[in-house]
Amino acid sequence: MRLLNGFGCFLCGSLAVLLCAARANPDRHVDAALARMDAIAARAHLDAAAAVADPVTKVPLAEPEVNVSPLEASDECVLSEACIDQYLWSVYDRAPKVDSIKVEEQIKTTVKKNGKSRTVTKTVTKFVNEDFTWKDPDAAEKAGMSVAQYVIGGMDGAFKARLYHLFRALDDAGLAPGMTSGFRDDYRQSIASGNKAATNRSYHGGSLRGGYGHGLAADIVSVKGETRSERCISSEILWKWIDAHGQEYGIGRPYLDKDPPHIAPIDGKEYADKRGVNAKLAEKGDASTSGVAKAAKQGRAEPKPL
């Protein structure tokens, strides 16, 4: 009622002002004044009705953005490529980018032969730690992309769906997977260290393999453990788990312990070339029986063909 009384005072005051203006110049102002009064009265009627019906004015609030942890995944996520990409990025983002690489060094040493001493040069191989955190960002910048768009977006879509299921299973098994490398173009391949394919022939996404959007390989480790030594032990367990169960998700390790972190589709050319047709067919046979049945039972989609 206070609202209605207040409005009445306001309306009367406004009417007085407008009538005074009309008397001063009736020909120019009366029509405009009456029009404004009609508009004010109509607005007031609506506001008053609303105030009586609901004395508390409710202002609609903007919907807050949903901030879901990227590691909280669900079966419905397979319906959205963006959801899969977010999950894979979280697995990539949590993995330390540190590797052990072989470094050859030449040293001089003294040897004795036939009672005589002489100095010779020997080549020795040492293992040293390499931090390659900078490499993907550098390649992404050259490509004009964010690191996520580069590393995750450059992989084949069906392969990403398989990785999603595999990583979820590894997480469920308590093995804490982390992806150290996803898509790699020719430049990124050229600055890679250790076991690697030729610059343009990498199944990670080399130009001869289709380039961006066609990456069919990833490197994975376990991030479980406080020290690097503990994480190395966890990674060994993770790789052996993939050897035992990876066919259920259409993924295997083409090089086994020659390049332990490297995984690829078991029905892809790389896996067939490195493991042989018989190994490929045998694992596909396993997947067509218990593997697919288990995936279906767990509510996970059957791996898509590549």
Side-chain angles (χ1 to χ4, degrees), residues 113-198:
K113 187 176 183 181
N114 298 327
K116 296 181 179 180
S117 297
R118 62 181 184 140
T119 301
V120 298
T121 301
K122 285 186 175 182
T123 300
V124 296
T125 301
K126 299 190 304 181
F127 287 90
V128 298
N129 292 337
E130 181 199 34
D131 184 347
F132 58 95
T133 306
W134 62 274
K135 293 186 177 182
D136 282 337
D138 187 48
E141 183 178 2
K142 285 183 177 294
M145 304 178 186
S146 69
V147 180
Q149 288 173 328
Y150 178 85
V151 173
I152 306 301
M155 291 192 288
D156 176 88
F159 180 54
K160 288 192 293 185
R162 294 189 186 191
L163 285 176
Y164 171 82
H165 291 303
L166 176 68
F167 289 157
R168 281 192 59 193
L170 289 168
D171 262 331
D172 291 344
L175 297 176
M179 183 164 59
T180 59
S181 183
F183 170 75
R184 295 205 299 248
D185 60 7
D186 291 355
Y187 168 72
R188 175 63 179 84
Q189 184 68 8
S190 71
I191 59 176
S193 304
N195 296 322
K196 64 174 186 176

Side-chain angles (χ1 to χ4, degrees), residues 199-245:
T199 297
N200 59 354
R201 300 182 67 85
S202 171
Y203 283 94
H204 282 272
S207 57
L208 289 183
R209 307 298 183 188
Y212 189 84
H214 298 279
L216 288 171
D219 295 336
I220 68 170
V221 296
S222 174
V223 300
K224 184 177 182 179
E226 297 296 327
T227 66
R228 190 170 181 214
S229 177
E230 292 174 348
R231 291 192 295 270
C232 285
I233 295 174
S234 298
S235 294
E236 291 280 353
I237 297 172
L238 179 146
W239 297 328
K240 296 305 179 186
W241 189 97
I242 292 176
D243 292 342
H245 305 284

